[in-house]
Amino acid sequence: HRPGQGRQQQELADEAGQVIDMLSYKATAARVMIELRAPRDVSFVGDAVRWSQVIMNLTTNGIDAYDDIDEASGRPRRVVVALAHTPAGCVCTVADWGSGIAPDHLSRVFDPFFTTKSCSGAAGTGIGLSIAKRIIEKDFKGRITVTSEPMTGTVFSIFLPMISVESADEAASFEPRRI
């Protein structure tokens, strides 16, 4: 945890922007542009470090999706992180126009140790998406979905429900008892 942070009101755009800054070298080396589309006032209650971990994983995967795409193909080489309010909370999408995910792999992308990354290109352990899903569902009480089409791209969508600081504190302080 960062000092003084944890389960409190967080600005999603600020946290996502910091992750994008951290990934700028990797993106530049891969000749991929990362774009953040976000109003300044999209916020949530939760742990900023855990949120950053999710955005880091999804954005890194988006950059890696271009490993097998020829730069001369004319396809956009960018990852777009977009944030928006909804009446019930907020939505974050991370989209790329890279290699996509085969239909028979889509149902498994959140399984621990499942990876589609080759040994020759970006090596993956297959735990990043399973950790991201656990963080979104357990820590933030949200949901994460994926849509993808081979050689067209992938979109990960995250919904975070509106929650107050007080109810987040209650959930964080709940300790199950052994009987």
Side-chain angles (χ1 to χ4, degrees), residues 81-132:
V81 179
L83 304 165
H85 291 284
T86 71
C90 58
V91 173
C92 172
T93 58
V94 179
D96 69 69
W97 289 261
S99 55
I101 302 167
D104 56 325
H105 291 161
L106 270 177
S107 65
R108 299 179 58 203
V109 296
F110 295 111
D111 291 352
F113 306 108
F114 178 79
T115 184
T116 60
K117 295 181 181 180
S118 66
C119 294
S120 60
T125 61
I127 60 169
L129 290 176
S130 65
I131 290 171

mmCIF file of all heavy atoms in Angstrom, residues 81-132:
data_model
loop_
_atom_site.group_PDB
_atom_site.id
_atom_site.type_symbol
_atom_site.label_atom_id
_atom_site.label_comp_id
_atom_site.label_asym_id
_atom_site.label_seq_id
_atom_site.Cartn_x
_atom_site.Cartn_y
_atom_site.Cartn_z
ATOM 1 N N VAL A 81 -7.109 3.171 -23.202
ATOM 2 C CA VAL A 81 -7.690 2.986 -21.878
ATOM 3 C C VAL A 81 -8.744 4.078 -21.739
ATOM 4 O O VAL A 81 -8.415 5.265 -21.779
ATOM 5 C CB VAL A 81 -6.625 3.106 -20.764
ATOM 6 C CG1 VAL A 81 -7.262 2.938 -19.391
ATOM 7 C CG2 VAL A 81 -5.491 2.107 -20.982
ATOM 8 N N ALA A 82 -10.006 3.671 -21.622
ATOM 9 C CA ALA A 82 -11.104 4.643 -21.552
ATOM 10 C C ALA A 82 -11.896 4.443 -20.264
ATOM 11 O O ALA A 82 -12.153 3.308 -19.849
ATOM 12 C CB ALA A 82 -12.020 4.491 -22.765
ATOM 13 N N LEU A 83 -12.263 5.557 -19.659
ATOM 14 C CA LEU A 83 -13.031 5.543 -18.408
ATOM 15 C C LEU A 83 -14.299 6.363 -18.593
ATOM 16 O O LEU A 83 -14.277 7.396 -19.274
ATOM 17 C CB LEU A 83 -12.214 6.161 -17.276
ATOM 18 C CG LEU A 83 -10.854 5.528 -17.003
ATOM 19 C CD1 LEU A 83 -10.002 6.446 -16.142
ATOM 20 C CD2 LEU A 83 -11.035 4.192 -16.328
ATOM 21 N N ALA A 84 -15.390 5.916 -17.973
ATOM 22 C CA ALA A 84 -16.642 6.653 -18.068
ATOM 23 C C ALA A 84 -17.512 6.371 -16.848
ATOM 24 O O ALA A 84 -17.416 5.306 -16.230
ATOM 25 C CB ALA A 84 -17.394 6.261 -19.339
ATOM 26 N N HIS A 85 -18.359 7.352 -16.527
ATOM 27 C CA HIS A 85 -19.357 7.182 -15.469
ATOM 28 C C HIS A 85 -20.539 6.405 -16.013
ATOM 29 O O HIS A 85 -20.852 6.501 -17.200
ATOM 30 C CB HIS A 85 -19.908 8.553 -15.026
ATOM 31 C CG HIS A 85 -18.949 9.397 -14.298
ATOM 32 N ND1 HIS A 85 -18.610 9.175 -12.991
ATOM 33 C CD2 HIS A 85 -18.262 10.491 -14.678
ATOM 34 C CE1 HIS A 85 -17.750 10.103 -12.603
ATOM 35 N NE2 HIS A 85 -17.521 10.906 -13.611
ATOM 36 N N THR A 86 -21.206 5.657 -15.153
ATOM 37 C CA THR A 86 -22.518 5.096 -15.456
ATOM 38 C C THR A 86 -23.386 5.427 -14.238
ATOM 39 O O THR A 86 -22.849 5.774 -13.183
ATOM 40 C CB THR A 86 -22.492 3.563 -15.657
ATOM 41 O OG1 THR A 86 -22.256 2.933 -14.401
ATOM 42 C CG2 THR A 86 -21.427 3.145 -16.662
ATOM 43 N N PRO A 87 -24.706 5.320 -14.369
ATOM 44 C CA PRO A 87 -25.547 5.599 -13.194
ATOM 45 C C PRO A 87 -25.224 4.709 -11.993
ATOM 46 O O PRO A 87 -25.405 5.112 -10.856
ATOM 47 C CB PRO A 87 -26.969 5.331 -13.709
ATOM 48 C CG PRO A 87 -26.878 5.543 -15.180
ATOM 49 C CD PRO A 87 -25.493 5.081 -15.577
ATOM 50 N N ALA A 88 -24.717 3.503 -12.237
ATOM 51 C CA ALA A 88 -24.455 2.564 -11.148
ATOM 52 C C ALA A 88 -22.992 2.478 -10.727
ATOM 53 O O ALA A 88 -22.651 1.741 -9.818
ATOM 54 C CB ALA A 88 -24.942 1.180 -11.548
ATOM 55 N N GLY A 89 -22.105 3.217 -11.370
ATOM 56 C CA GLY A 89 -20.685 3.136 -11.032
ATOM 57 C C GLY A 89 -19.835 3.709 -12.138
ATOM 58 O O GLY A 89 -20.106 4.786 -12.655
ATOM 59 N N CYS A 90 -18.808 2.984 -12.531
ATOM 60 C CA CYS A 90 -17.959 3.435 -13.635
ATOM 61 C C CYS A 90 -17.500 2.235 -14.461
ATOM 62 O O CYS A 90 -17.497 1.106 -13.995
ATOM 63 C CB CYS A 90 -16.781 4.257 -13.135
ATOM 64 S SG CYS A 90 -15.731 3.427 -11.969
ATOM 65 N N VAL A 91 -17.132 2.544 -15.694
ATOM 66 C CA VAL A 91 -16.681 1.518 -16.636
ATOM 67 C C VAL A 91 -15.295 1.904 -17.127
ATOM 68 O O VAL A 91 -15.026 3.078 -17.387
ATOM 69 C CB VAL A 91 -17.649 1.405 -17.834
ATOM 70 C CG1 VAL A 91 -17.093 0.473 -18.891
ATOM 71 C CG2 VAL A 91 -19.016 0.933 -17.369
ATOM 72 N N CYS A 92 -14.435 0.913 -17.240
ATOM 73 C CA CYS A 92 -13.110 1.088 -17.824
ATOM 74 C C CYS A 92 -12.970 0.056 -18.935
ATOM 75 O O CYS A 92 -13.270 -1.121 -18.723
ATOM 76 C CB CYS A 92 -12.024 0.870 -16.771
ATOM 77 S SG CYS A 92 -10.348 0.855 -17.453
ATOM 78 N N THR A 93 -12.541 0.511 -20.108
ATOM 79 C CA THR A 93 -12.228 -0.437 -21.180
ATOM 80 C C THR A 93 -10.765 -0.273 -21.563
ATOM 81 O O THR A 93 -10.227 0.832 -21.538
ATOM 82 C CB THR A 93 -13.116 -0.235 -22.431
ATOM 83 O OG1 THR A 93 -12.964 1.094 -22.902
ATOM 84 C CG2 THR A 93 -14.574 -0.526 -22.129
ATOM 85 N N VAL A 94 -10.133 -1.389 -21.884
ATOM 86 C CA VAL A 94 -8.772 -1.392 -22.407
ATOM 87 C C VAL A 94 -8.861 -2.122 -23.741
ATOM 88 O O VAL A 94 -9.193 -3.315 -23.780
ATOM 89 C CB VAL A 94 -7.783 -2.079 -21.452
ATOM 90 C CG1 VAL A 94 -6.381 -2.071 -22.045
ATOM 91 C CG2 VAL A 94 -7.791 -1.380 -20.085
ATOM 92 N N ALA A 95 -8.615 -1.395 -24.829
ATOM 93 C CA ALA A 95 -8.798 -1.937 -26.175
ATOM 94 C C ALA A 95 -7.501 -1.890 -26.966
ATOM 95 O O ALA A 95 -6.713 -0.960 -26.829
ATOM 96 C CB ALA A 95 -9.875 -1.138 -26.913
ATOM 97 N N ASP A 96 -7.308 -2.918 -27.800
ATOM 98 C CA ASP A 96 -6.198 -2.922 -28.745
ATOM 99 C C ASP A 96 -6.696 -3.446 -30.081
ATOM 100 O O ASP A 96 -7.783 -4.019 -30.166
ATOM 101 C CB ASP A 96 -5.019 -3.766 -28.225
ATOM 102 C CG ASP A 96 -5.311 -5.250 -28.185
ATOM 103 O OD1 ASP A 96 -5.425 -5.870 -29.263
ATOM 104 O OD2 ASP A 96 -5.427 -5.802 -27.072
ATOM 105 N N TRP A 97 -5.906 -3.221 -31.115
ATOM 106 C CA TRP A 97 -6.227 -3.683 -32.465
ATOM 107 C C TRP A 97 -5.162 -4.683 -32.912
ATOM 108 O O TRP A 97 -4.817 -4.777 -34.067
ATOM 109 C CB TRP A 97 -6.312 -2.485 -33.419
ATOM 110 C CG TRP A 97 -7.530 -1.672 -33.141
ATOM 111 C CD1 TRP A 97 -8.707 -1.733 -33.822
ATOM 112 C CD2 TRP A 97 -7.717 -0.715 -32.106
ATOM 113 N NE1 TRP A 97 -9.624 -0.869 -33.259
ATOM 114 C CE2 TRP A 97 -9.041 -0.227 -32.200
ATOM 115 C CE3 TRP A 97 -6.912 -0.222 -31.070
ATOM 116 C CZ2 TRP A 97 -9.561 0.721 -31.330
ATOM 117 C CZ3 TRP A 97 -7.420 0.722 -30.200
ATOM 118 C CH2 TRP A 97 -8.735 1.183 -30.332
ATOM 119 N N GLY A 98 -4.689 -5.464 -31.943
ATOM 120 C CA GLY A 98 -3.614 -6.407 -32.183
ATOM 121 C C GLY A 98 -4.089 -7.749 -32.691
ATOM 122 O O GLY A 98 -5.081 -7.851 -33.419
ATOM 123 N N SER A 99 -3.396 -8.797 -32.265
ATOM 124 C CA SER A 99 -3.612 -10.135 -32.811
ATOM 125 C C SER A 99 -4.930 -10.773 -32.392
ATOM 126 O O SER A 99 -5.381 -11.721 -33.020
ATOM 127 C CB SER A 99 -2.449 -11.047 -32.419
ATOM 128 O OG SER A 99 -2.285 -11.049 -31.016
ATOM 129 N N GLY A 100 -5.558 -10.273 -31.336
ATOM 130 C CA GLY A 100 -6.822 -10.851 -30.883
ATOM 131 C C GLY A 100 -6.627 -12.191 -30.198
ATOM 132 O O GLY A 100 -5.514 -12.696 -30.080
ATOM 133 N N ILE A 101 -7.738 -12.752 -29.753
ATOM 134 C CA ILE A 101 -7.723 -14.027 -29.027
ATOM 135 C C ILE A 101 -8.635 -14.987 -29.783
ATOM 136 O O ILE A 101 -9.765 -14.641 -30.130
ATOM 137 C CB ILE A 101 -8.227 -13.844 -27.577
ATOM 138 C CG1 ILE A 101 -7.360 -12.818 -26.826
ATOM 139 C CG2 ILE A 101 -8.250 -15.176 -26.835
ATOM 140 C CD1 ILE A 101 -7.947 -12.349 -25.512
ATOM 141 N N ALA A 102 -8.146 -16.191 -30.017
ATOM 142 C CA ALA A 102 -8.939 -17.201 -30.725
ATOM 143 C C ALA A 102 -10.221 -17.506 -29.949
ATOM 144 O O ALA A 102 -10.195 -17.552 -28.712
ATOM 145 C CB ALA A 102 -8.113 -18.476 -30.901
ATOM 146 N N PRO A 103 -11.322 -17.725 -30.635
ATOM 147 C CA PRO A 103 -12.600 -17.998 -29.956
ATOM 148 C C PRO A 103 -12.525 -19.155 -28.955
ATOM 149 O O PRO A 103 -13.117 -19.077 -27.884
ATOM 150 C CB PRO A 103 -13.564 -18.332 -31.098
ATOM 151 C CG PRO A 103 -12.986 -17.665 -32.300
ATOM 152 C CD PRO A 103 -11.494 -17.691 -32.096
ATOM 153 N N ASP A 104 -11.779 -20.202 -29.275
ATOM 154 C CA ASP A 104 -11.691 -21.337 -28.352
ATOM 155 C C ASP A 104 -10.823 -21.040 -27.125
ATOM 156 O O ASP A 104 -10.812 -21.818 -26.169
ATOM 157 C CB ASP A 104 -11.202 -22.605 -29.071
ATOM 158 C CG ASP A 104 -9.870 -22.420 -29.768
ATOM 159 O OD1 ASP A 104 -9.612 -21.321 -30.289
ATOM 160 O OD2 ASP A 104 -9.081 -23.391 -29.799
ATOM 161 N N HIS A 105 -10.125 -19.923 -27.114
ATOM 162 C CA HIS A 105 -9.328 -19.524 -25.946
ATOM 163 C C HIS A 105 -10.055 -18.518 -25.055
ATOM 164 O O HIS A 105 -9.673 -18.340 -23.901
ATOM 165 C CB HIS A 105 -8.000 -18.901 -26.385
ATOM 166 C CG HIS A 105 -7.064 -19.875 -26.994
ATOM 167 N ND1 HIS A 105 -6.007 -19.482 -27.778
ATOM 168 C CD2 HIS A 105 -6.994 -21.228 -26.953
ATOM 169 C CE1 HIS A 105 -5.337 -20.550 -28.185
ATOM 170 N NE2 HIS A 105 -5.928 -21.606 -27.700
ATOM 171 N N LEU A 106 -11.072 -17.850 -25.591
ATOM 172 C CA LEU A 106 -11.736 -16.777 -24.838
ATOM 173 C C LEU A 106 -12.266 -17.233 -23.485
ATOM 174 O O LEU A 106 -12.139 -16.504 -22.498
ATOM 175 C CB LEU A 106 -12.885 -16.179 -25.652
ATOM 176 C CG LEU A 106 -12.534 -15.009 -26.544
ATOM 177 C CD1 LEU A 106 -13.745 -14.560 -27.342
ATOM 178 C CD2 LEU A 106 -11.943 -13.858 -25.760
ATOM 179 N N SER A 107 -12.850 -18.408 -23.416
ATOM 180 C CA SER A 107 -13.428 -18.870 -22.154
ATOM 181 C C SER A 107 -12.363 -19.220 -21.119
ATOM 182 O O SER A 107 -12.679 -19.400 -19.944
ATOM 183 C CB SER A 107 -14.329 -20.082 -22.393
ATOM 184 O OG SER A 107 -13.554 -21.176 -22.848
ATOM 185 N N ARG A 108 -11.095 -19.286 -21.534
ATOM 186 C CA ARG A 108 -10.025 -19.698 -20.630
ATOM 187 C C ARG A 108 -9.071 -18.575 -20.237
ATOM 188 O O ARG A 108 -8.187 -18.788 -19.404
ATOM 189 C CB ARG A 108 -9.222 -20.830 -21.281
ATOM 190 C CG ARG A 108 -10.079 -22.063 -21.563
ATOM 191 C CD ARG A 108 -9.308 -23.162 -22.224
ATOM 192 N NE ARG A 108 -8.176 -23.555 -21.395
ATOM 193 C CZ ARG A 108 -7.089 -24.151 -21.881
ATOM 194 N NH1 ARG A 108 -6.977 -24.409 -23.160
ATOM 195 N NH2 ARG A 108 -6.104 -24.476 -21.080
ATOM 196 N N VAL A 109 -9.213 -17.378 -20.815
ATOM 197 C CA VAL A 109 -8.201 -16.335 -20.589
ATOM 198 C C VAL A 109 -8.065 -15.932 -19.124
ATOM 199 O O VAL A 109 -7.007 -15.456 -18.724
ATOM 200 C CB VAL A 109 -8.418 -15.076 -21.463
ATOM 201 C CG1 VAL A 109 -8.264 -15.399 -22.929
ATOM 202 C CG2 VAL A 109 -9.728 -14.401 -21.168
ATOM 203 N N PHE A 110 -9.102 -16.116 -18.314
ATOM 204 C CA PHE A 110 -9.016 -15.761 -16.899
ATOM 205 C C PHE A 110 -8.591 -16.941 -16.027
ATOM 206 O O PHE A 110 -8.477 -16.804 -14.809
ATOM 207 C CB PHE A 110 -10.350 -15.200 -16.402
ATOM 208 C CG PHE A 110 -10.724 -13.889 -17.049
ATOM 209 C CD1 PHE A 110 -11.796 -13.813 -17.920
ATOM 210 C CD2 PHE A 110 -9.995 -12.733 -16.796
ATOM 211 C CE1 PHE A 110 -12.148 -12.605 -18.520
ATOM 212 C CE2 PHE A 110 -10.335 -11.530 -17.393
ATOM 213 C CZ PHE A 110 -11.411 -11.465 -18.260
ATOM 214 N N ASP A 111 -8.345 -18.102 -16.632
ATOM 215 C CA ASP A 111 -7.899 -19.274 -15.873
ATOM 216 C C ASP A 111 -6.431 -19.105 -15.474
ATOM 217 O O ASP A 111 -5.608 -18.684 -16.291
ATOM 218 C CB ASP A 111 -8.014 -20.548 -16.714
ATOM 219 C CG ASP A 111 -9.447 -20.954 -16.991
ATOM 220 O OD1 ASP A 111 -10.373 -20.353 -16.415
ATOM 221 O OD2 ASP A 111 -9.640 -21.883 -17.814
ATOM 222 N N PRO A 112 -6.093 -19.448 -14.225
ATOM 223 C CA PRO A 112 -4.685 -19.363 -13.816
ATOM 224 C C PRO A 112 -3.788 -20.232 -14.703
ATOM 225 O O PRO A 112 -4.154 -21.350 -15.054
ATOM 226 C CB PRO A 112 -4.700 -19.903 -12.380
ATOM 227 C CG PRO A 112 -6.111 -19.765 -11.929
ATOM 228 C CD PRO A 112 -6.967 -19.906 -13.153
ATOM 229 N N PHE A 113 -2.660 -19.672 -15.083
ATOM 230 C CA PHE A 113 -1.607 -20.329 -15.859
ATOM 231 C C PHE A 113 -1.972 -20.583 -17.323
ATOM 232 O O PHE A 113 -1.232 -21.256 -18.022
ATOM 233 C CB PHE A 113 -1.121 -21.614 -15.180
ATOM 234 C CG PHE A 113 -0.687 -21.367 -13.762
ATOM 235 C CD1 PHE A 113 -1.451 -21.815 -12.696
ATOM 236 C CD2 PHE A 113 0.455 -20.626 -13.491
ATOM 237 C CE1 PHE A 113 -1.070 -21.546 -11.387
ATOM 238 C CE2 PHE A 113 0.842 -20.356 -12.195
ATOM 239 C CZ PHE A 113 0.076 -20.821 -11.145
ATOM 240 N N PHE A 114 -3.090 -20.036 -17.791
ATOM 241 C CA PHE A 114 -3.408 -20.140 -19.215
ATOM 242 C C PHE A 114 -2.797 -18.942 -19.925
ATOM 243 O O PHE A 114 -3.005 -17.800 -19.517
ATOM 244 C CB PHE A 114 -4.926 -20.161 -19.457
ATOM 245 C CG PHE A 114 -5.275 -20.220 -20.923
ATOM 246 C CD1 PHE A 114 -5.200 -21.422 -21.606
ATOM 247 C CD2 PHE A 114 -5.619 -19.076 -21.617
ATOM 248 C CE1 PHE A 114 -5.485 -21.489 -22.955
ATOM 249 C CE2 PHE A 114 -5.908 -19.130 -22.970
ATOM 250 C CZ PHE A 114 -5.846 -20.339 -23.643
ATOM 251 N N THR A 115 -2.029 -19.194 -20.969
ATOM 252 C CA THR A 115 -1.428 -18.101 -21.728
ATOM 253 C C THR A 115 -1.467 -18.423 -23.215
ATOM 254 O O THR A 115 -1.427 -19.592 -23.604
ATOM 255 C CB THR A 115 0.026 -17.814 -21.287
ATOM 256 O OG1 THR A 115 0.522 -16.683 -22.010
ATOM 257 C CG2 THR A 115 0.943 -19.002 -21.498
ATOM 258 N N THR A 116 -1.599 -17.377 -24.004
ATOM 259 C CA THR A 116 -1.527 -17.524 -25.457
ATOM 260 C C THR A 116 -0.227 -16.921 -25.983
ATOM 261 O O THR A 116 0.013 -16.930 -27.181
ATOM 262 C CB THR A 116 -2.718 -16.822 -26.147
ATOM 263 O OG1 THR A 116 -2.682 -15.431 -25.826
ATOM 264 C CG2 THR A 116 -4.038 -17.432 -25.698
ATOM 265 N N LYS A 117 0.594 -16.394 -25.080
ATOM 266 C CA LYS A 117 1.848 -15.772 -25.492
ATOM 267 C C LYS A 117 2.878 -16.843 -25.804
ATOM 268 O O LYS A 117 3.061 -17.786 -25.047
ATOM 269 C CB LYS A 117 2.362 -14.826 -24.407
ATOM 270 C CG LYS A 117 1.433 -13.639 -24.200
ATOM 271 C CD LYS A 117 1.952 -12.703 -23.139
ATOM 272 C CE LYS A 117 0.987 -11.550 -22.932
ATOM 273 N NZ LYS A 117 1.471 -10.636 -21.904
ATOM 274 N N SER A 118 3.558 -16.650 -26.922
ATOM 275 C CA SER A 118 4.544 -17.631 -27.361
ATOM 276 C C SER A 118 5.845 -17.467 -26.589
ATOM 277 O O SER A 118 6.119 -16.426 -26.016
ATOM 278 C CB SER A 118 4.817 -17.456 -28.853
ATOM 279 O OG SER A 118 5.436 -16.204 -29.083
ATOM 280 N N CYS A 119 6.634 -18.512 -26.616
ATOM 281 C CA CYS A 119 7.947 -18.459 -25.955
ATOM 282 C C CYS A 119 8.901 -17.540 -26.707
ATOM 283 O O CYS A 119 9.783 -16.949 -26.112
ATOM 284 C CB CYS A 119 8.543 -19.855 -25.857
ATOM 285 S SG CYS A 119 7.590 -20.925 -24.770
ATOM 286 N N SER A 120 8.719 -17.411 -28.025
ATOM 287 C CA SER A 120 9.651 -16.604 -28.817
ATOM 288 C C SER A 120 9.403 -15.106 -28.651
ATOM 289 O O SER A 120 10.324 -14.321 -28.677
ATOM 290 C CB SER A 120 9.551 -16.983 -30.292
ATOM 291 O OG SER A 120 8.231 -16.744 -30.762
ATOM 292 N N GLY A 121 8.144 -14.716 -28.474
ATOM 293 C CA GLY A 121 7.816 -13.298 -28.313
ATOM 294 C C GLY A 121 7.730 -12.956 -26.841
ATOM 295 O O GLY A 121 8.604 -13.289 -26.058
ATOM 296 N N ALA A 122 6.645 -12.305 -26.477
ATOM 297 C CA ALA A 122 6.430 -11.947 -25.080
ATOM 298 C C ALA A 122 6.117 -13.218 -24.300
ATOM 299 O O ALA A 122 5.207 -13.954 -24.638
ATOM 300 C CB ALA A 122 5.269 -10.968 -24.969
ATOM 301 N N ALA A 123 6.897 -13.483 -23.284
ATOM 302 C CA ALA A 123 6.650 -14.664 -22.468
ATOM 303 C C ALA A 123 5.620 -14.320 -21.417
ATOM 304 O O ALA A 123 5.685 -13.268 -20.794
ATOM 305 C CB ALA A 123 7.952 -15.127 -21.816
ATOM 306 N N GLY A 124 4.657 -15.185 -21.242
ATOM 307 C CA GLY A 124 3.629 -14.953 -20.240
ATOM 308 C C GLY A 124 3.529 -16.136 -19.313
ATOM 309 O O GLY A 124 3.748 -17.277 -19.708
ATOM 310 N N THR A 125 3.197 -15.856 -18.063
ATOM 311 C CA THR A 125 3.031 -16.929 -17.086
ATOM 312 C C THR A 125 1.597 -17.398 -17.010
ATOM 313 O O THR A 125 1.321 -18.457 -16.458
ATOM 314 C CB THR A 125 3.460 -16.456 -15.681
ATOM 315 O OG1 THR A 125 2.626 -15.353 -15.309
ATOM 316 C CG2 THR A 125 4.918 -16.062 -15.656
ATOM 317 N N GLY A 126 0.673 -16.580 -17.519
ATOM 318 C CA GLY A 126 -0.725 -16.954 -17.481
ATOM 319 C C GLY A 126 -1.406 -16.651 -16.166
ATOM 320 O O GLY A 126 -2.507 -17.147 -15.917
ATOM 321 N N ILE A 127 -0.790 -15.820 -15.328
ATOM 322 C CA ILE A 127 -1.467 -15.503 -14.064
ATOM 323 C C ILE A 127 -2.008 -14.076 -14.014
ATOM 324 O O ILE A 127 -2.839 -13.764 -13.178
ATOM 325 C CB ILE A 127 -0.560 -15.760 -12.837
ATOM 326 C CG1 ILE A 127 0.696 -14.908 -12.884
ATOM 327 C CG2 ILE A 127 -0.242 -17.239 -12.707
ATOM 328 C CD1 ILE A 127 1.489 -14.922 -11.598
ATOM 329 N N GLY A 128 -1.570 -13.221 -14.931
ATOM 330 C CA GLY A 128 -1.968 -11.818 -14.880
ATOM 331 C C GLY A 128 -3.462 -11.584 -14.968
ATOM 332 O O GLY A 128 -4.035 -10.833 -14.180
ATOM 333 N N LEU A 129 -4.133 -12.223 -15.929
ATOM 334 C CA LEU A 129 -5.568 -12.015 -16.083
ATOM 335 C C LEU A 129 -6.363 -12.659 -14.957
ATOM 336 O O LEU A 129 -7.393 -12.131 -14.544
ATOM 337 C CB LEU A 129 -6.051 -12.517 -17.446
ATOM 338 C CG LEU A 129 -5.592 -11.685 -18.635
ATOM 339 C CD1 LEU A 129 -6.044 -12.324 -19.938
ATOM 340 C CD2 LEU A 129 -6.111 -10.256 -18.533
ATOM 341 N N SER A 130 -5.893 -13.788 -14.446
ATOM 342 C CA SER A 130 -6.612 -14.409 -13.325
ATOM 343 C C SER A 130 -6.498 -13.529 -12.081
ATOM 344 O O SER A 130 -7.472 -13.369 -11.325
ATOM 345 C CB SER A 130 -6.115 -15.828 -13.052
ATOM 346 O OG SER A 130 -4.779 -15.838 -12.617
ATOM 347 N N ILE A 131 -5.341 -12.908 -11.879
ATOM 348 C CA ILE A 131 -5.175 -11.986 -10.752
ATOM 349 C C ILE A 131 -6.047 -10.751 -10.958
ATOM 350 O O ILE A 131 -6.721 -10.289 -10.022
ATOM 351 C CB ILE A 131 -3.692 -11.602 -10.563
ATOM 352 C CG1 ILE A 131 -2.898 -12.804 -10.050
ATOM 353 C CG2 ILE A 131 -3.544 -10.403 -9.622
ATOM 354 C CD1 ILE A 131 -1.401 -12.602 -10.030
ATOM 355 N N ALA A 132 -6.059 -10.214 -12.180
ATOM 356 C CA ALA A 132 -6.891 -9.042 -12.476
ATOM 357 C C ALA A 132 -8.360 -9.338 -12.183
ATOM 358 O O ALA A 132 -9.061 -8.529 -11.561
ATOM 359 C CB ALA A 132 -6.710 -8.608 -13.923
#
